[in-house]
Amino acid sequence: MNEIVLMSDPKVAAIPVTECGERLVDVRRGGSLLVDARKQDPADAFAYLRDGVLDRLLEAQEMLPRGLRLLFVEGYRPPSLQREYFEEYADQLRAGRPEWSDEQIHSAASRYVSPPDIAPHSAGAAVDLTLADTSGRELDLGTRMNADPEESAGACYTHALNISEEARTNRKLLSSVLTAAGLVNYPTEWWHWSFGDRYWALITGEAAALYGPKEITPRH
C-alpha cells in the first residue's frame, strides 16, 4: 500500500489556488444521477458541484456495466458546516485519546474530515458517492458510507484488506471508472472523490488547484 497523504499534510495547504470561477450546478438536473437525500442540508447545498466535476461523474457513469449507476450522496458543503463536522470529530477523538497533542488530534481528525481551510467539499470539488443498481439499491462496498476508521477497524480505507471479495471487487470498479474520468480518491475514505481541488492538484502533479472554497448558498 502506498503511503497515504492526509489532508492535514502541509504539502496540501501549500498548493496555490487559481480559481477558475466555474459555477456550482445542481447534480439533479436532467436526472442522470441517482441522488440520495441522506445528507440534505437546510440550504439544499448538498446536491451542488462544480460544473466540471459533474461532467466527469457523468463520464464515469457511462463506463459502468449495464444495470449499475453512481449513487450521489453529498457534494458541496458550506465552509461553516465543514468546520462543524471537523470540530465534532476532533472533540470525539480528544475524548477518547486525552494523551494526544493538538497536532495529533488535528492529523487524526483529517483522516475522516478535511480541515476546513482546505476542504474539497467546500470548494464544490468533492463528492461522496457509491454504486447502486438501477432501482437505487446500494452495492456492498465493505462499510457504510462515512464510517470512521475507529468504527470500521480501518475498513473505510479504500485499499483495506478486511473486507469481502465482493466489496473489494465493487471498490475496484468504482475506482476504475472515476479514475478514468480524472477524479482522485482520498484513500482513507473509499467513497470520497474529487477533481480540481488542492488534494487533486498534489496527487496529479498540477501546479495549482482550479477551485477554492466558496461561501455561497447555491440557487436553482
Side-chain angles (χ1 to χ4, degrees):
M1 195 182 301
N2 294 333
E3 183 184 355
I4 292 173
V5 178
L6 294 176
M7 287 286 182
S8 59
D9 193 302
K11 293 196 293 285
V12 180
I15 297 287
V17 176
T18 304
E19 173 60 57
C20 68
E22 200 173 275
R23 62 187 182 140
L24 285 164
V25 293
D26 191 333
V27 304
R28 296 167 293 193
R29 68 179 189 184
S32 297
L33 289 179
L34 291 172
V35 178
D36 185 292
R38 76 186 77 168
K39 298 292 285 185
Q40 189 165 15
D41 58 291
D44 211 30
F46 84 107
Y48 284 73
L49 284 175
R50 297 287 189 137
D51 213 355
V53 183
L54 176 56
D55 286 346
R56 284 164 175 80
L57 289 187
L58 296 177
E59 182 184 331
Q61 182 163 263
E62 287 296 314
M63 300 180 217
L64 287 172
R66 183 181 298 275
L68 294 183
R69 303 274 298 278
L70 295 177
L71 178 62
F72 174 99
V73 175
E74 186 177 20
Y76 175 69
R77 189 183 294 158
S80 58
L81 185 59
Q82 182 71 31
R83 195 170 301 110
E84 181 182 318
Y85 285 169
F86 187 83
E87 289 172 358
E88 279 180 4
Y89 186 50
D91 287 344
Q92 180 183 322
L93 289 172
R94 199 173 284 112
R97 299 282 189 172
E99 74 280 8
W100 281 7
S101 67
D102 288 345
E103 185 179 345
Q104 286 173 301
I105 293 292
H106 187 84
S107 178
S110 74
R111 296 171 306 165
Y112 180 57
V113 185
S114 298
D117 49 333
I118 52 99
H121 279 290
S122 296
V127 56
D128 293 341
L129 78 175
T130 187
L131 290 172
D133 62 22
T134 49
S135 66
R137 183 183 64 86
E138 291 181 44
L139 274 59
D140 177 13
L141 275 92
T143 73
R144 71 176 184 90
M145 186 179 292
N146 293 317
D148 63 47
E150 289 74 32
E151 165 196 331
S152 66
C156 58
Y157 282 51
T158 305
H159 299 291
L161 300 177
N162 56 334
I163 59 173
S164 69
E165 190 59 40
E166 179 185 3
R168 191 171 296 114
T169 298
N170 289 335
R171 286 190 189 186
K172 284 180 180 175
L173 175 60
L174 182 66
S175 294
S176 67
V177 298
L178 292 170
T179 300
L183 284 84
V184 302
N185 172 242
Y186 189 45
T188 64
E189 301 177 342
W190 59 260
W191 57 84
H192 176 105
W193 292 79
S194 67
F195 171 84
D197 59 298
R198 282 175 160 138
Y199 197 82
W200 164 86
L202 179 67
I203 298 303
T204 59
E206 294 290 332
L210 305 175
Y211 312 132
K214 291 180 79 70
E215 275 283 9
I216 66 164
T217 301
R219 292 191 301 272
H220 293 279

